[in-house]
Amino acid sequence: MNLMTRLTAALALTLTLAATGAHAANVLVVLSDENHLDLKDGKVLSTGFYLNELMQPVKLLLDAGHEVTFATPKGRAPTVDSSSETPAYFGNDAAQLKLHKDLLEKLALTSPTASPVVSLARIEQQGYAHFDAVYIPGGHAPMQDLLKSPALGRLLADFHQRNKTTALVCHGPIALLSTPPDANGFVATLEAGDMPTTPKWIYSGYQMTVISNQEEEQAKPMLGGGEMKFYPQTGLERAGARFSSNTTPWTGHVVVDRELITGQNPASALEVGRRVVDRLK
């Protein structure tokens, strides 16, 4: 696309937004740096983010004219979980799978050399006030680092204080555990299989959802004979969350409580994206 074409497209978008009274928001998407999850007994699961959980909301945001910035704790390019690259997560529609894979490739997020991803330290330097909403997709990778990232904890606390839209889906809501004063200690106790003391938590009493213990049990074969150190539902409930579940496993379920929008599983990602776009109107 040459310069004149880009300028014409930008002008057309500006005029469209002005005509509809829409506001182009700045949305921060936070992903994990990790490409694995440590399981019990020294076993390791290769993982990353789920393709549909990232790209369905991102496409909705871009189509609505919003600016999207991608970040990870260390600024490394994230990894897509190869098991999520299937039409099953796109309504069994191969065309939709290709559409979203092509967009991911265009954005170059997973490129080790060309990825636009920045670190959370850079986001903090830039200032949280620059962003109108934050979105955190799932995949198992957030269970490795986001749940105890001090930088993410500071970001989420700022968004909570300012009542800014905070959306998470599937394993993504585990990132909310980064906000207690001793997030590392709380998570370490959970990983050891012990009962931690309920922390002072900014989301205590919030109604929210996350991939359920029932769904985790049904998905255990995907762990290749391994076992997770703890389940996200258990961790959030012990922190003080009011867990809400679907009635049929793997069907979409979205919960909204104050600034928080949470989706239970991959089937919930599209609706979470729609809720975020609605909030930004």
Side-chain angles (χ1 to χ4, degrees), residues 68 89 149 230 265:
V68 179
Y89 293 109
S149 164
F230 71 94
N265 47 37

Side-chain angles (χ1 to χ4, degrees), residues 76-92:
R76 295 199 299 243
T79 301
V80 61
D81 190 316
S82 60
S83 69
S84 70
E85 297 179 291
T86 168
Y89 293 109
F90 294 88
N92 292 314

